Amino acid sequence: MKLLRYFAGLVMALATLHQAFAMNDRDFLPADAALDPAIPAPASVLGYPVGTWHARHDQIVQYLQQLGMASDRLSVEVVGYTHEQRPLLMLTFTNPQRLAQIDTVRSAHLQRVAEGKTPAQSDPLVLWMGYSVHGNESSGANAALLVAYYLAASQSEEVKQLLDNAVIIMEPAINPDGLSRFAQWANMHKGLTPNSDPNHRDHNEGWPSGRMNHYWFDLNRDWLLLTHPESRARIAHFQQWRPHVLTDFHEMGSNSTFFFQPGIPDRANPWISRENISMTNLLGQYHADALDAENKLYFSEESFDDFYLGKGSSYPDVQGSIGILFEQASSRGHLIDTPNGQLSFADTIQNQVTTSLSTFRGALANKSKLQQYQADFVRRTAKQANESGIAGYVVKASADAALNQQWLDILQQHHIKVWQLSADMSKNGTAYQQGRDYFVLTNQAQYPLIRSLFSTQQDFGRNEFYDVSSWNIAMAFNLPFNELSSKEGRKLKSLSVKSDGVTPANWQGEAYAYGFDWRDGRAPAMLQALLVKGIAAKIIGSPITVASGDGQISLTAGSVVIPAALPQPANWRNTVRELAQEKQLVVHSLTTGWTDKGIDLGSGAMPVLKTPRVMLLTGEGVSPYEAGEVWHYFDQQVGLPLAMVDVPRLSGINLHDYTHVIMVDGRYAGISDKLVERMKQWVREGGVLIGQKGAARWLSENGLLAAGFRSEDEVLSGFDTQSLKFSDRNQLAAQQRIAGAVFATQLDASHPLTFGLDANQLSVFRNSNLVMDIPEKPFLTVARYSKSPLLAGYAAKPLVEQVA
């Protein structure tokens, strides 16, 4: 009996301890919040107070939708869906009267922004609150539940004043797929008594982590590229509102404290103004005051910079908004030991709530300054554009119609206008064609963003970067471009607007063969679809000229032909036509197998293609970012399913079941010597092994790649370190890494691996110090770096020389 009472008491004590780590929802909010009991608190829907468990995205959606039905202060809108079909929510808070006419309010605000007009005192501030772009930085999304509850339920004078003077846009969970993955991990390892040991499984997430989205991309690097639906929906909404302030709530290592911007003062993007940094400083004082009042540790003006414009805290800064980054030390799970004491999940949520409210307080106190800043920004931008001496950028279109469309789509989503040339011209040896090539005028509202996107700057004063030092949108698509002066721009008397769509070929139902050009980015998807349907196709190994329904046409090396003479399935011609329409690809009707130039269609040098069977190695040690890019490309753009196999399983798999194995950047030390020999034999028998970055080095070290890599000591040998002081150590470390810059490579245009590329130069983005020596054997090198390879961004001279 005594033993039973003892265990009952122990269970009660553990339960009490368990609950101690979870606060009541109201405890997170100001004491004078005066919360309306008719408005549901998060716990009433979740079934537990915020911070007890990691809320899944579906629970967050369920609560916010109920909140929207209970309160006339907010609207809840679904602006899109993730890859996993989770809804992307945007919440709009303001007083009920303004909310009832919110579209009119938004239009009036955008009109003021466009004109650079100073708002009236009655015009609202627009504040954007964004939480948890990294799914495993979940204190932000959980804090969003409490901030939303506070705005909907508080009857305090402070909140009434806020809602009377502001429109608050809330993005409660920027990365729903990653958030849900992490919540499942954290919750499945939670015991009745939280384990604070940093080595506990709770705090060491499995591969891939919840940081990334469905395809393992870092969405906080996607504000410019707009590869994913989460980013496209957000940017569309951002451009519909153009907020005065945008917040970006993150987490960092557990052993830190709390960071808020401004970041390192002299490490801001050249196109972010000093006025912007001053306004960030002004709001920073309110965060400091709020955290001081709670005796919380924090820091500012160190560690983080504001350089790469593809992040949430910097993208707004070149568009008249004040972007602010917050970084909270992470509890990883529910409770963790740190040098600053135990850190609970509830603690991390509290700091995010506190600084959300200090953002409101600081913005409201400086309403007129923020509004005037945005108006001044617009007028200052127009003045800069007029006085810059730069008319814009002329850009040569690619032969790849799909690539051109992707490039245009990105610019248009950023509200950057693009025209087509109305007359031929040339600049620096590059000819630009009327009605085909493009012109991006700088004298438009997005002037700072345009200048940054086309920047070739290579020296920035203080050459230290958190990561990316340049992302040039023309180089990213390998489109040759030139800057035009104002004088040169005046020669462009008129510009035509580009026309969309694909001009179809003259289709013939009984053609000898059909063919399509490999230079179009949609061609791989077309070929894959044909092979899946059982349609036989051949590849052209060198350029040909052949008669078609459209007259004589040229098909480049790598192009695909579908001869009627090969064994084809029933109704195959209709299938080819339907797939061409679906893929928006020009497919030519070839009237003969006799070519005027090049090999004939029956040549043995034009092999029949087989359906590839591709394996991608994944799992611990493999970069999920690099693997995710490969998966995304094959899945979204080609329609080819990859077999994703974790490295430890490779030894039990028959390699001959696959035509290709892809190994992206990572560590592969666990692969045994016996398996290496099997891989060599598979390659000798025709298997294709692709290694990228660290994987390529592993292939070299294990005799699978006939090329060598330079050691780290060799790569860094050009740095003189003899005269450095201790205080120079951070600067040296920054100089000894290529954080993210653009380099030029020269292609062997005759090599099969360059088929489809429409230039002899390819711009590549480097973010590693790996240097591969050019192989001694001929015919292996597809591309080599130019003698002066740096095109844009920063890389120290010794590293550039090693790359060259």
Side-chain angles (χ1 to χ4, degrees), residues 381 385 415-419 440-448 450:
T381 293
H415 286 214
I416 294 173
K417 298 173 184 176
V418 184
W419 290 266
V440 181
L441 187 72
T442 52
N443 195 0
Q444 54 179 300
Q446 293 286 41
Y447 171 76
I450 293 168

Side-chain angles (χ1 to χ4, degrees), residues 217-268:
F217 272 65
D218 185 339
L219 291 177
N220 197 42
R221 305 300 187 275
D222 197 39
W223 287 66
L224 287 180
L225 288 71
L226 305 181
T227 305
H228 298 277
E230 300 92 334
S231 306
R232 293 193 290 270
R234 182 186 327 106
I235 294 306
H237 211 69
F238 175 91
Q239 295 296 346
Q240 289 171 4
W241 272 108
R242 295 295 293 274
H244 295 95
V245 177
L246 182 146
T247 61
D248 189 20
F249 288 88
H250 288 250
E251 288 181 7
M252 56 183 164
S254 303
N255 292 342
S256 193
T257 58
F258 188 88
F259 168 86
F260 56 84
Q261 280 184 320
I264 299 172
D266 53 357
R267 272 170 51 181

Side-chain angles (χ1 to χ4, degrees), residues 472-512:
N472 183 299
I473 194 166
M475 292 178 182
F477 286 83
N478 208 45
L479 302 176
F481 74 101
N482 273 286
E483 181 180 286
L484 296 186
S485 68
S486 297
K487 182 179 179 180
E488 291 170 317
R490 283 193 289 271
K491 297 177 182 177
L492 299 173
K493 295 181 180 179
S494 63
L495 298 163
S496 57
V497 179
K498 77 167 292 293
S499 58
D500 294 324
V502 173
T503 303
N506 184 12
W507 180 265
Q508 295 182 357
E510 296 298 324
Y512 177 87

Side-chain angles (χ1 to χ4, degrees), residues 119-177:
Q121 189 174 0
S122 58
D123 292 328
L125 274 174
V126 179
L127 308 177
W128 182 295
M129 311 298 289
Y131 299 92
S132 297
V133 67
H134 297 138
N136 61 359
E137 299 176 5
S138 57
S139 61
N142 283 263
L145 295 170
L146 295 158
V147 176
Y149 172 48
Y150 177 68
L151 293 174
S154 176
Q155 302 300 308
S156 70
E157 188 60 32
E158 184 176 19
V159 171
K160 288 181 180 179
Q161 284 290 322
L162 175 64
L163 296 176
D164 285 345
N165 284 277
V167 173
I168 299 165
I169 310 298
M170 179 183 288
E171 193 175 10
I174 300 174
N175 180 3
D177 294 347

Side-chain angles (χ1 to χ4, degrees), residues 709-771:
F709 283 77
R710 299 195 176 179
S711 69
E712 184 72 5
D713 287 343
E714 287 178 283
V715 172
L716 302 180
S717 62
F719 288 90
D720 180 10
T721 59
Q722 294 302 310
S723 59
L724 297 182
K725 302 188 294 290
F726 182 78
S727 58
D728 297 324
R729 66 197 188 282
N730 290 336
Q731 186 177 7
L732 177 64
Q735 290 178 339
Q736 290 184 331
R737 61 188 282 259
I738 299 176
V742 185
F743 287 75
T745 64
Q746 298 298 319
L747 300 177
D748 175 357
S750 71
H751 200 292
L753 291 180
T754 67
F755 287 174
L757 296 177
D758 191 38
N760 291 326
Q761 177 176 299
L762 182 68
S763 303
V764 297
F765 181 82
R766 275 191 67 107
N767 60 355
S768 86
N769 282 12
L770 284 174
V771 175

Side-chain angles (χ1 to χ4, degrees), residues 9 21 50 190 203 238 271 274 276 326 362 386 481 604 646:
F21 293 106
V50 171
K190 181 184 177 184
H203 307 123
F238 175 91
W271 290 102
R274 288 294 165 189
N276 178 286
F326 298 93
N386 283 325
F481 74 101
D646 286 359

Side-chain angles (χ1 to χ4, degrees), residues 201-220:
R201 201 163 190 259
D202 184 15
H203 307 123
N204 296 278
E205 203 178 348
W207 194 100
S209 74
R211 177 182 175 87
M212 299 82 70
N213 76 340
H214 174 77
Y215 284 102
W216 311 333
F217 272 65
D218 185 339
L219 291 177
N220 197 42

